[in-house]
Amino acid sequence: MAFFRRRSRVPADPRPAIARFWAWWAENRADVVAAAQEQRSDELIALLRPAVAALDPSLTWELSPSSRKRLTLVVSSGGKAELRALVERWVLAAPDDPDVEFAPVRRADPTLFESAVMKIDDYDIELRELVAGTRVDVQHGVLDVVIHHPLFPLLDHEHRLSVAFMGLDAALGEDDAERWIGEVEVSADTPMDAIPVAMLGTVVDQLRPAGGQWAVLRGTGRKGPIVALVRRPLDRVERPLADTHVAVVLDYEAGSDGQPRDVAIVDDAEKLGEQVLAELGGDGPRVIHVGRVTGGGQIIVHFYVDGLEVDPSRARPVLEGWTHGTAAVQATPDPGWDAVAPLLR
């Protein structure tokens, strides 16, 4: 028997607000471009701040020179997972503007290390002077960093962090900084074997896997041993539209250790997972098969989908073919991928 259950409140559909923004842009873009080119910052803020806030008050934005067009307008979630899909949809709905390109994250921009200066109190913080001590966290596949600037002894902790994260964004871009940087410390002392923060992109490139693969993880839960088959690499920043967790829960007859009595059960679960993936639309920017977890008399197959465009109830007919016990599909808004957090790293 299969059934569909949605247990969490569905977030408001952002598409009407996005459409209103682009209608506003069509009417005001000439004024925005002129204010940016003539460096009338107060006028630019007065124009863009309320328009971006109408999408969501927590979003951040910046308008800066572009290497591809005259300007780049970045509207960013500022690291808030619940807003990442919103800005991605905002970009997908953007017009083809002759003067302005649009981006949902700050891209890496090594040229900032040549000229960018942050003004904090009475101090001029030059990004080119940022250095980092690095340590690879092999278990989690990320880079832990200790960041230093010669003026850090004069700044409080929060301002040091602001400078550090600006440097990380400039070196890697927002998405790669989130994906590949683990612990971030700031230090008034120069770390041992420090390298310029501008070079972190080269270090991160060495962490990237050569290709997709699946990893087997083993652990112990309340009902005995657990075996997980998990996609690698796996991180939500790679699929910003996939904001809804879909769990296919398959019951089976378990042995004394909670694992399947018959190996055919696992094989059937794998085939069913492939069928569910196909029904959801196949692997792509709006759908990803994360993996499965087996133990305690259940196999849970994890997917993430675009909650606005993909209907998880498409999986219902597939589940009718599960003959080893009951089967269910559950859908929950989960932009931070919290449901699979133990499997991510």
Side-chain angles (χ1 to χ4, degrees):
M1 177 181 179
F3 63 92
F4 173 71
R5 180 165 71 237
R6 184 181 292 274
R7 299 188 300 174
S8 296
R9 181 178 62 84
V10 179
D13 187 342
R15 289 174 292 191
I18 292 172
R20 288 192 293 271
F21 178 94
W22 291 121
W24 173 89
W25 177 262
E27 295 180 3
N28 294 275
R29 68 163 300 282
D31 292 337
V32 171
V33 171
Q37 292 181 328
E38 296 171 18
Q39 299 183 350
R40 301 195 304 267
S41 57
D42 289 344
E43 181 179 343
L44 193 62
I45 292 171
L47 284 165
L48 275 171
R49 177 181 286 170
V52 173
L55 289 168
D56 190 281
S58 297
L59 295 175
T60 63
W61 63 272
E62 64 182 44
L63 191 64
S64 58
S66 169
S67 59
R68 302 174 187 178
K69 297 185 179 181
R70 291 184 181 181
L71 300 165
T72 298
L73 175 59
V74 176
V75 174
S76 169
S77 65
K80 297 180 174 65
E82 66 274 15
L83 297 177
R84 184 61 180 84
L86 166 61
V87 293
E88 192 73 19
R89 299 183 203 282
W90 171 80
V91 165
L92 291 174
D96 183 10
D97 191 289
D99 298 307
V100 185
E101 62 174 330
F102 307 99
V105 291
R106 294 179 182 87
R107 300 183 181 125
D109 186 359
T111 63
L112 290 176
F113 291 98
E114 301 171 7
S115 58
V117 177
M118 292 184 69
K119 187 76 173 180
I120 299 178
D121 294 331
D122 293 326
Y123 306 112
D124 291 331
I125 312 296
E126 297 184 31
L127 288 192
R128 64 180 178 83
E129 295 187 286
L130 280 173
V131 298
T134 62
R135 180 181 67 85
V136 176
D137 182 339
V138 177
Q139 179 180 356
H140 298 116
V142 296
L143 190 69
D144 294 335
V145 294
V146 179
I147 295 181
H148 166 78
H149 189 281
L151 295 183
F152 272 2
L154 305 176
L155 304 181
D156 61 29
H157 184 73
E158 290 303 314
H159 282 121
R160 292 179 189 179
L161 284 175
S162 296
V163 175
F165 282 112
M166 183 173 179
L168 291 173
D169 286 349
L172 303 172
E174 278 188 87
D175 275 353
D176 269 6
E178 182 175 348
R179 171 63 184 90
W180 298 109
I181 300 299
E183 293 184 5
V184 177
E185 297 181 28
V186 288
S187 175
D189 301 315
T190 306
M192 292 184 60
D193 301 322
I195 63 172
V197 168
M199 294 180 58
L200 285 179
T202 302
V203 181
V204 162
D205 284 342
Q206 298 174 20
L207 297 177
R208 300 179 193 274
Q213 56 187 331
W214 293 81
V216 176
L217 308 178
R218 301 182 186 275
T220 303
R222 290 178 297 176
K223 297 182 180 181
I226 296 173
V227 180
L229 182 68
V230 184
R231 185 173 186 150
R232 289 287 189 267
L234 178 65
D235 197 277
R236 68 171 186 82
V237 299
E238 299 169 3
R239 306 293 177 98
L241 293 174
D243 57 4
T244 297
H245 177 235
V246 177
V248 174
V249 183
L250 308 171
D251 293 333
Y252 60 82
E253 183 180 355
S256 59
D257 62 352
Q259 290 293 310
R261 291 182 181 274
D262 186 348
V263 68
I265 292 174
V266 176
D267 292 338
D268 289 348
E270 181 175 357
K271 294 175 184 176
L272 183 141
E274 292 173 353
Q275 293 173 330
V276 168
L277 179 63
E279 289 297 324
L280 294 175
D283 190 78
R286 301 184 187 277
V287 181
I288 181 171
H289 179 199
V290 172
R292 67 172 184 266
V293 179
T294 303
Q298 282 188 335
I299 297 175
I300 303 177
V301 190
H302 296 278
F303 302 87
Y304 276 85
V305 304
D306 181 337
L308 291 179
E309 301 291 343
V310 179
D311 182 0
S313 66
R314 295 179 189 174
R316 292 180 64 184
V318 176
L319 300 194
E320 298 291 346
W322 182 251
T323 61
H324 303 287
T326 59
V329 58
Q330 304 167 358
T332 307
D334 183 18
W337 288 26
D338 296 327
V340 297
L343 307 177
L344 289 180
R345 301 282 170 80

